Amino acid sequence: MAFNQEHFAQLIDEFTVNSEQLREIAADFRYDLRLGLKNPDESSLRMLKSYLGLPSGKETGEYLALDFGGTNLRVLRIKLMGEGKFEVLKKVAKPLKVEGVYDFIGADSTAEEMFDFIAELVDEAIDGDHEKKYLLGHTFSFPSEQTNLYNAKLIIWTKEFATPGVEGKVVNDLLKEALHRQGIDNVEPTAVINDTVAVLLAAAYKQPDIYIGSIYATGHNTCYLEPYAESGDAPMILNLESGGFMKLVPSRLDIEYDEASEKPGEQRLEKMVSGRYMGELFGMAMAELLEEKGKNYGFTSIDMSNIINEADKVAEIIKAKTGHDIAAEDVEKVQKLASTLVIRSARLVTASFVGIIWQQAGSGKAQKQHIAIDGSVYEKMPLAKENIMRALSELLGEEAAVIDTVLENGGSGLGAAIAAAMSQK
Ligand code: BGC
């Protein structure tokens, strides 16, 4: 069966963001930033305070870092040596969910079970030593309202997490109680940061000119160093929770997906750009093309990456996921569909970066900087990086020459250790 050409063209059109729309989205993002600085309740950006500025680069010592932000939980013991140098002394990792075995992120789990599981992993990272004192930095990659560096309350789960009893709670209290239940009183959680903040801290520890940190992976979000030039307050990193940005042009399928998701109406940008969702949107479009609307084939962003990279594997991948043989002439179309979604994603992410760059620049020129990004979509998805660079030029023209992006791999762990070090001040 060959695809209906008209329907295919319509899908591509619906998933394309043209130059004019791109510029409008960047301008709206900047507008929401300014609104959010005055009154976050009126903005679709949460603008959450981190209570941290940039690291000095002189942070030293041994710390524990908990990286809790996706299905894979990690605890690291990290030695900071200053000047961008560090050593990972130990690293342990476990998924929070193993299909058919256990699930600490579903609606049937409890907060206590979830945090007991985390405390067990902390115990592994310290080799069961309940004597030596450790400060623990916690990268908690969900929207959290902070009143200081320690006290962060989960506002709302994202990334389809559904564990009851955590929303509205101070996550480090839950962690502390779980550590205590297991006799681990020598580990003191002292800092909670978002993963975007961790990326910014980790990159800024190693090199100058870092003011924006972003995650472009299962989830998506960005933070930046707000200079507070007008008020004269000390600069502070703000977690925008940019995945919740709303002033977009969602397609028909984006709207359908959102309506059926765990949290309809929330995380609209994230649902259009991040790895967790891109595969699903691709699957929804494929189901229409295969005239099986509503069927869930379980496509992932990794399938999309393979589809874009290897034309000769496309038919095989589609057959394995959908059971359908596609016509030879449709292979290119399947590739085009996947590419269009990735390009849209990269362009929307860039529009948000440019909104921040315009805000930083005020009425002047864009400042020289490297945007620090971590995440599998940025790192591995074909077409992502090049389309970020292209969209930067499209929006900033010549000024794009002073801006580039750098991969900050594993920033969540290192950033948490740096935050723990900074908590001692
Ligand atoms: C969360 C953010 C996080 C991002 C990347 C989003 O779903 O709301 O807090 O930074 O995912 O992990």
Side-chain angles (χ1 to χ4, degrees):
M1 180 193 82
F3 297 160
N4 175 310
Q5 176 55 33
E6 237 172 79
H7 194 161
F8 173 75
Q10 181 210 331
L11 281 167
I12 296 299
D13 187 51
E14 283 178 321
F15 286 136
T16 301
V17 179
N18 66 32
S19 249
E20 203 181 312
Q21 290 167 328
L22 191 70
R23 187 164 293 278
E24 210 166 297
I25 292 167
D28 283 342
F29 195 91
R30 183 196 186 180
Y31 180 82
D32 263 24
L33 256 182
R34 293 187 69 82
L35 211 59
L37 282 173
K38 291 200 194 96
N39 181 3
D41 292 344
E42 283 177 15
S43 168
S44 71
L45 298 169
R46 291 187 192 268
M47 318 283 297
L48 302 168
K49 289 187 174 175
S50 70
Y51 294 89
L52 283 174
L54 294 181
S56 65
K58 297 199 177 80
E59 292 74 12
T60 54
E62 193 178 322
Y63 302 94
L64 284 177
L66 165 61
D67 177 11
F68 175 9
T71 22
N72 206 18
L73 190 71
R74 294 183 202 96
V75 185
L76 300 92
R77 207 148 36 87
I78 297 183
K79 190 171 159 194
L80 301 178
M81 278 103 84
E83 306 307 332
K85 293 197 205 70
F86 67 98
E87 202 181 321
V88 176
L89 304 174
K90 174 124 189 181
K91 181 174 171 180
V92 289
K94 262 189 198 148
L96 281 159
K97 170 181 176 172
V98 175
E99 208 66 62
V101 184
Y102 63 82
D103 178 359
F104 297 115
I105 63 177
D108 294 333
S109 57
T110 69
E112 207 165 281
E113 283 165 2
M114 174 183 243
F115 280 85
D116 279 343
F117 184 75
I118 297 172
E120 273 167 35
L121 201 64
V122 171
D123 208 20
E124 249 185 65
I126 55 173
D127 299 313
D129 174 357
H130 294 181
E131 295 300 322
K132 185 172 167 178
K133 296 261 179 245
Y134 286 102
L135 297 188
L136 178 143
H138 181 180
T139 296
F140 182 66
S141 318
F142 301 93
S144 309
E145 185 95 59
Q146 294 198 217
T147 52
N148 56 42
L149 190 51
Y150 168 89
N151 190 300
K153 246 186 220 168
L154 172 64
I155 301 171
I156 185 172
W157 281 126
T158 55
K159 294 175 269 204
E160 310 300 297
F161 271 53
T163 314
V166 190
E167 285 174 336
K169 295 276 165 55
V170 174
V171 285
N172 261 359
D173 285 351
L174 297 176
L175 175 63
K176 250 189 176 168
E177 287 159 17
L179 288 169
H180 183 66
R181 279 196 290 277
Q182 296 183 31
I184 313 171
D185 292 315
N186 53 322
V187 171
E188 191 190 347
T190 57
V192 183
I193 53 174
N194 185 255
D195 51 355
T196 56
V197 178
V199 165
L200 199 161
L201 292 180
Y205 185 63
K206 297 179 196 158
Q207 63 179 31
D209 303 322
I210 304 277
Y211 311 106
I212 296 178
S214 185
I215 298 283
Y216 192 8
T218 311
H220 170 63
N221 184 17
T222 300
C223 73
Y224 79 110
L225 183 75
E226 167 56 42
Y228 288 117
E230 283 162 29
S231 69
D233 289 349
M236 189 191 282
I237 302 172
L238 299 180
N239 164 17
L240 298 178
E241 285 298 327
S242 60
F245 183 62
M246 300 254 207
K247 295 178 178 156
L248 297 154
V249 197
S251 72
R252 191 174 44 85
L253 291 184
D254 291 307
I255 294 167
E256 278 178 26
Y257 183 85
D258 175 58
E259 281 168 358
S261 68
E262 279 281 350
K263 298 259 156 76
E266 303 283 341
Q267 300 300 99
R268 299 305 298 270
L269 174 63
E270 183 169 57
K271 284 172 185 161
M272 291 170 79
V273 302
S274 81
R276 170 73 179 72
Y277 301 102
M278 250 194 292
E280 306 217 19
L281 285 172
F282 173 79
M284 286 172 81
M286 280 303 300
E288 289 198 348
L289 291 169
L290 294 169
E291 291 172 19
E292 293 189 311
K293 188 166 172 64
K295 210 160 177 191
N296 184 354
Y297 303 125
F299 279 107
T300 65
S301 53
I302 298 172
D303 295 321
M304 290 172 71
S305 164
N306 292 335
I307 285 169
I308 296 169
N309 274 337
E310 299 178 76
D312 53 345
K313 296 264 172 65
V314 172
E316 202 181 299
I317 298 171
I318 300 299
K319 173 88 184 177
K321 291 275 171 175
T322 70
H324 287 277
D325 288 307
I326 54 165
E329 80 232 41
D330 285 340
V331 164
E332 232 175 87
K333 293 202 183 85
V334 172
Q335 286 189 300
K336 169 91 179 164
L337 176 65
S339 307
T340 304
L341 277 162
V342 173
I343 293 169
R344 179 180 79 151
S345 159
R347 287 169 74 74
L348 293 177
V349 165
T350 312
S352 75
F353 292 159
V354 170
I356 301 171
I357 293 167
W358 282 338
Q359 163 66 10
Q360 291 168 329
S363 51
K365 289 206 160 158
Q367 69 187 130
K368 175 180 173 209
Q369 65 178 306
H370 317 288
I371 302 172
I373 312 179
D374 192 6
S376 49
V377 178
Y378 173 70
E379 192 179 352
K380 304 203 182 112
M381 183 64 93
L383 303 173
K385 264 187 225 120
E386 64 194 75
N387 278 286
I388 292 178
M389 293 316 286
R390 215 170 275 162
L392 277 174
S393 294
E394 199 171 316
L395 291 171
L396 294 172
E398 277 178 11
E399 284 181 46
V402 297
I403 295 165
D404 64 3
T405 59
V406 281
L407 173 67
E408 178 47 60
N409 213 339
S412 287
L414 176 58
I418 296 168
M422 290 170 83
S423 74
Q424 294 176 104
K425 279 181 197 155

